[in-house]
């Protein structure tokens, strides 16, 4: 039986991963926030873990003050640095570190695979630095993979829970022009991708996105169709700018990413389109 240690295990993805791998017979060790600030305790956990999954990071969808941007950065970079330091020091090194990143590393003008152009804005720089720190754990003993998340859609939490209420009330609509790209993944496909990479001991950078990215308008139409509700009330970008400040970029910009590396390895997505995904979840 393999042991998996997980940072950010209380979040939406982390909670689902704990349940998923526990049901598969793995021992799951949550790495709490206090463990990350206690190097000795962190090393004890890492020393008994075969796999480390790094999900820690403050919520990206929020109002971005300068202090919050510092929190977004430190909650990802400092956590990853602590994990890498522990991996380097322990005697029994994990087989794999799977660290999280985001498709925000790409710009929003084209469709990119894992070798695509990176951005130089705050989100792009955050993702680049995050990945750079994680890759420092790579050695003969430990393989490092990076999972670049799109928007993770699932029941009982995550992005869908936050966006679905106005649609149920018939108050949903596109954000801005609705033309911005929307790369997403069904939570079930995300969990299966972790299992696929872990059980096959793959090492690479992977886009965790469905094979067919859509747009904000495509998402809106899928929600309206499935819920049988009108979607005629657009949300002006200036409203989001008032609410989220610079953080509105997460909602008003978009990245179109395809999971080429996963597909090249033979991974099969169950939910390939936004219509299939929303129909299952709603």
């Amino acid at each position: 039986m393999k042991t998996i240690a997980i940072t950010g295990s209380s979040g939406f993805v982390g909670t689902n991963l704990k349940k998923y791998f526990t049901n598969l017979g793995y021992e799951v060790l949550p790495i709490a926030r206090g463990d990350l600030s206690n190097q000795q305790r962190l090393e004890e956990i890492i020393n008994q873990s075969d796999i480390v999954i790094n999900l820690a990071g403050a919520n990206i969808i929020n109002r971005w003050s300068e202090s919050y941007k510092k929190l977004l950065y430190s909650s990802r970079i400092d956590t990853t640095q602590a994990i890498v330091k522990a991996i380097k020091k322990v005697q029994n090194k994990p087989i794999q570190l799977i660290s999280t990143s985001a498709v925000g590393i790409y710009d929003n003008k084209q469709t990119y695979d894992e070798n695509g152009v990176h951005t130089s804005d705050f989100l792009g720089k955050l993702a680049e630095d995050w990945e750079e720190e994680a890759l420092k754990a790579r050695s003969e003993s430990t393989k490092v993979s990076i999972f670049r998340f799109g928007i993770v859609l699932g029941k009982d939490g995550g992005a869908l829970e936050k966006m679905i209420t106005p649609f149920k009330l018939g108050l949903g609509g596109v954000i801005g022009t609705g033309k911005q790209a929307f790369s997403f993944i069904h939570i079930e496909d995300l969990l299966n991708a972790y299992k696929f990479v872990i059980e096959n001991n793959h090492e690479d950078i992977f886009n965790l996105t469905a094979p067919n990215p859509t747009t904000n308008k495509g998402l809106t139409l899928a929600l309206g169709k499935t819920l049988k509700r009108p979607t005629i009330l657009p949300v002006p970008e200036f409203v989001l700018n008032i609410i989220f400040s610079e953080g509105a970029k997460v909602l008003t910009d978009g990245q179109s990413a395809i999971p080429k590396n996963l597909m090249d390895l033979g991974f099969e997505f169950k939910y390939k389109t936004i219509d299939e995904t929303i129909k299952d979840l709603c």
Side-chain angles (χ1 to χ4, degrees):
M1 178 179 66
K2 289 185 176 179
T3 301
I4 300 179
I6 305 177
T7 69
S9 60
S10 61
F12 174 61
V13 173
T15 299
N16 279 276
L17 278 172
K18 281 191 299 184
K19 181 178 179 181
Y20 179 77
F21 279 110
T22 298
N23 289 339
L24 288 175
Y26 288 75
E27 181 182 6
V28 178
L29 300 177
I31 299 177
R33 190 174 302 173
D35 299 326
L36 290 166
S37 58
N38 183 332
Q39 195 66 26
Q40 181 178 350
R41 173 59 182 155
L42 181 58
E43 289 173 16
E44 290 174 356
I45 297 173
I46 298 294
N47 193 58
Q48 57 184 308
S49 302
D50 301 294
I51 312 294
V52 178
I53 296 175
N54 180 24
L55 292 167
N59 190 355
I60 205 78
I61 302 178
N62 207 319
R63 182 174 178 82
W64 289 5
S65 61
E66 286 304 311
S67 61
Y68 196 75
K69 286 169 72 173
K70 290 179 180 178
L71 176 62
L72 288 173
Y73 193 87
S74 63
S75 64
R76 288 162 172 77
I77 307 304
D78 293 355
T79 295
T80 305
Q81 287 176 340
I83 291 169
V84 171
K85 182 180 177 181
I87 289 174
K88 289 181 177 295
K89 290 188 69 174
V90 298
Q91 182 176 358
N92 300 312
K93 299 186 185 303
I95 301 167
Q96 278 181 312
L97 166 64
I98 301 178
S99 195
T100 313
S101 183
V103 295
I105 200 168
Y106 308 119
D107 71 26
N108 58 1
K109 297 177 182 178
Q110 300 181 45
T111 299
Y112 292 112
D113 63 19
E114 290 84 350
N115 295 315
V117 176
H118 295 187
T119 64
S120 57
D121 63 6
F122 174 76
L123 278 179
K125 184 66 165 60
L126 174 60
E128 287 181 1
D129 290 353
W130 200 6
E131 293 183 11
E132 182 181 345
E133 292 302 326
L135 290 170
K136 291 177 181 177
R138 183 174 284 168
S139 68
E140 292 183 4
S141 303
T142 303
K143 291 186 175 182
V144 178
S145 286
I146 304 293
F147 280 10
R148 292 174 178 166
F149 283 13
I151 303 298
V152 183
L153 300 177
K155 298 177 182 177
D156 303 321
L160 187 59
E161 183 179 62
K162 295 179 179 179
M163 68 176 69
I164 199 170
T165 298
F167 281 91
K168 286 182 175 180
L169 297 173
L171 302 175
V174 298
I175 294 175
T177 65
K179 295 180 180 179
Q180 61 270 37
F182 185 80
S183 291
F184 64 94
I185 186 169
H186 191 296
I187 185 67
E188 187 176 334
D189 281 328
L190 180 138
L191 298 175
N192 288 334
Y194 271 95
K195 177 176 179 284
F196 178 79
V197 168
I198 287 172
E199 293 191 346
N200 292 286
N201 201 24
H202 290 309
E203 181 179 44
D204 210 332
I205 293 175
F206 299 100
N207 287 338
L208 267 285
T209 57
N212 299 293
T214 186
T215 61
N216 178 260
K217 183 177 181 179
L219 168 68
T220 299
L221 292 175
L223 282 166
K225 179 181 177 181
T226 299
L227 296 171
K228 296 180 173 59
R229 293 290 188 273
T231 56
I232 58 175
L233 298 174
V235 181
E237 289 191 16
F238 80 86
V239 173
L240 294 174
N241 289 329
I242 292 172
I243 298 171
F244 296 110
S245 185
E246 189 182 349
K249 288 180 175 291
V250 178
L251 302 172
T252 59
D253 292 353
Q255 289 76 31
S256 184
I258 56 173
K260 183 177 183 299
N261 287 346
L262 277 173
M263 292 190 295
D264 285 350
L265 290 169
F267 180 77
E268 290 286 340
F269 284 84
K270 184 176 180 180
Y271 303 96
K272 298 181 176 66
T273 69
I274 192 63
D275 287 318
E276 292 172 345
T277 300
I278 295 301
K279 183 178 180 180
D280 177 72
L281 295 174
C282 296

